[in-house]
Amino acid sequence: MKIVRAKDYDDMSRKAADIISAQVMLKENSVLGLATGSSPIGAYQQLIKRCEAGDLDFSQVTTVNLDEYCGLDPSNDQSYRYFMNVNLFNHINIDPANTNVPNGICQDTESECARYENLIQKLGGIDLQLLGFGHNGHIGFNEPGSAFVAETHRVDLTESTIQANMRNFNSKDEVPRQALTMGIRAIMQARRIVVVVSGEGKARAVRDSVRGPITPQVPASILQLHRNVTLVCDEPALSLL
Ligand code: F6R
């Protein structure tokens, strides 16, 4: 695992955007796996600036997002589809038809998960997967548990994730309890993985993922088995390493 040390959140965001930009420049029709949350927002802002400046072209790029809350439709400002539109897609020259997020309001979860899994396979897998770490070491919404789940699946969010995500909702009751998430296989089959991690609150997750045993109790620890992972962390996130 390569660890890139960043001074602070802005530096982390620039460095992550550099890697993503290089990917898109070297392969115009890249498949990018994307994440939501506070960690990648700065990197998305960088990508938007570079696209606006004419330095980056997303016209042939396809994206697949990691996850979506169950029960939130795309017009809900807490849905991950809404987040991606507002924080990235609406501001770059990507074809909206080439942006994919699991459908959180599907009638049939099983067939939606199978559809998403097939879509990723049909695209030929993911060239670059961007990840954040949950405080509990989750990646996507693969929560700590007794086994790694390979495929796209529906998951019950843990109390710690519900608490962490509460900051975006008016009350804890409004935070969805379930989500659809890409499984460990599609993430691990990505040809390159870039993780952005910021803040002291994530230091334990970084330490356990990088130095701890590989265990489903810390889902991100599986990344130790991937050949091409770059962790871009600010100083506080690295404080326990
Ligand atoms: C988001 C996702 C999550 C987040 C993680 C960190 O699509 O899959 O795994 O990356 O919860 O969230 P932030 O960046 O908000 O701390």
Side-chain angles (χ1 to χ4, degrees):
M1 229 186 257
K2 176 161 178 56
I3 297 182
V4 173
R5 191 173 280 269
K7 278 198 298 291
D8 51 25
Y9 181 85
D10 287 344
D11 190 30
M12 174 197 80
S13 302
R14 272 192 305 273
K15 287 177 157 70
D18 286 346
I19 302 172
I20 301 167
S21 303
Q23 171 68 45
V24 172
M25 279 188 234
L26 292 171
K27 187 178 176 204
E28 293 97 339
N29 61 347
S30 287
V31 177
L32 301 180
L34 298 179
T36 61
S38 49
S39 309
I41 287 184
Y44 292 157
Q45 287 167 351
Q46 288 289 325
L47 296 177
I48 291 168
K49 270 196 214 152
R50 295 171 195 198
C51 186
E52 283 172 350
D55 293 332
L56 212 48
D57 176 15
F58 286 91
S59 61
Q60 293 181 63
V61 167
T62 299
T63 64
V64 280
N65 259 79
L66 282 166
D67 38 21
E68 178 60 286
Y69 286 123
C70 289
L72 300 193
D73 75 74
S75 65
N76 186 312
D77 61 7
Q78 296 305 331
S79 75
Y80 283 175
R81 161 53 80 178
Y82 189 96
F83 175 102
M84 289 309 301
N85 289 346
V86 166
N87 287 292
L88 185 65
F89 300 149
N90 290 350
H91 311 286
I92 58 176
N93 67 332
I94 196 164
D95 179 349
N98 291 340
T99 66
N100 300 283
V101 180
N103 177 6
I105 50 161
C106 58
Q107 294 297 319
D108 177 353
T109 306
E110 249 176 62
S111 55
E112 171 58 12
C113 290
R115 180 194 71 83
Y116 209 68
E117 199 64 34
N118 287 336
L119 168 78
I120 296 167
Q121 299 308 322
K122 258 205 258 155
L123 289 169
I126 296 165
D127 289 304
L128 183 154
Q129 176 66 56
L130 180 63
L131 296 175
F133 280 173
H135 291 92
N136 60 6
H138 72 213
I139 45 177
F141 274 139
N142 292 277
E143 296 281 41
S146 51
F148 292 110
V149 182
E151 300 86 21
T152 302
H153 59 288
R154 184 172 60 190
V155 62
D156 294 326
L157 301 181
T158 62
E159 185 57 29
S160 120
T161 298
I162 292 166
Q163 288 287 347
N165 292 358
M166 222 173 86
R167 66 188 194 277
N168 303 317
F169 291 82
N170 294 323
S171 73
K172 189 176 164 188
D173 289 344
E174 286 181 24
V175 187
R177 289 338 197 220
Q178 292 188 317
L180 301 183
T181 183
M182 207 186 269
I184 292 295
R185 183 175 54 208
I187 295 173
M188 287 298 283
Q189 285 179 346
R191 288 176 271 285
R192 173 187 279 277
I193 296 178
V194 179
V195 192
V196 275
V197 201
S198 168
E200 210 179 336
K202 298 280 178 73
R204 195 165 54 91
V206 171
R207 183 199 58 198
D208 293 351
S209 308
V210 175
R211 294 272 153 81
I214 298 167
T215 164
Q217 292 301 324
V218 183
S221 63
I222 191 84
L223 299 178
Q224 292 176 39
L225 298 179
H226 194 282
R227 284 164 193 266
N228 195 347
V229 180
T230 307
L231 235 62
V232 189
C233 300
D234 65 9
E235 296 285 351
L238 287 172
S239 56
L240 291 180
L241 267 196

